[in-house]
Amino acid sequence: QVQLVESGGGLVQAGGSLRLSCAASGSIFSINAMDWFRQAPGKQRELVAAITSGGSTNYADSVKGRFTISRDNAKNTVYLQMNSLKPEDTAVYYCNAEFGWGARARTDFDSWGQGTQVTVSS
């Protein structure tokens, strides 16, 4: 099993920045990609950014140019640097891990825990 713990959320004004962290533990040897999701009130959970163990990244169109995903493989930790934050970025942010065979540690049928809350005021 893989355990994932998010941190770094908070309350910021529009235009501000936050850096989220997610530490993975457990059976981490099988992890390939790691990614960040978010879920705003009344909306579906959406993929924000992803990064492979080799450093290849992908972003949702809504955050391109503003967010940067990175990881420290030695620490089994993935980060999300969020700049130029907008009120629309307000959501609970979750991380996830993808195994080498394509399955993720967290699925739509699992509890994703409490994540870390990001609130952007105007």
Side-chain angles (χ1 to χ4, degrees), residues 24 84 99 102 105:
S84 301
F99 303 117

Side-chain angles (χ1 to χ4, degrees), residues 7-52:
S7 62
L11 173 64
V12 298
Q13 292 186 324
S17 299
L18 284 173
R19 189 192 191 205
L20 307 183
S21 299
C22 171
S25 61
S27 301
I28 50 86
F29 68 92
S30 59
I31 294 176
N32 182 3
M34 297 190 74
D35 35 47
W36 285 95
F37 291 76
R38 68 185 181 187
Q39 186 167 25
K43 299 182 66 176
Q44 295 287 332
R45 185 167 53 237
E46 64 174 339
L47 178 64
V48 176
I51 184 169
T52 68

Side-chain angles (χ1 to χ4, degrees), residues 39-110:
Q39 186 167 25
K43 299 182 66 176
Q44 295 287 332
R45 185 167 53 237
E46 64 174 339
L47 178 64
V48 176
I51 184 169
T52 68
S53 60
S56 179
T57 61
N58 197 21
Y59 299 91
D61 289 341
S62 60
V63 306
K64 286 181 179 177
R66 300 188 298 119
F67 291 10
T68 302
I69 188 171
S70 62
R71 67 190 293 176
D72 185 335
N73 290 331
K75 296 182 178 180
N76 302 122
T77 300
V78 62
Y79 306 93
L80 186 67
Q81 178 66 48
M82 305 185 295
N83 298 325
S84 301
L85 283 163
K86 304 174 181 180
E88 66 189 74
D89 296 317
T90 295
V92 177
Y93 284 71
Y94 305 90
C95 65
N96 210 341
E98 184 177 349
F99 303 117
W101 55 91
R104 282 192 166 96
R106 293 166 165 171
T107 73
D108 288 343
F109 303 98
D110 298 324

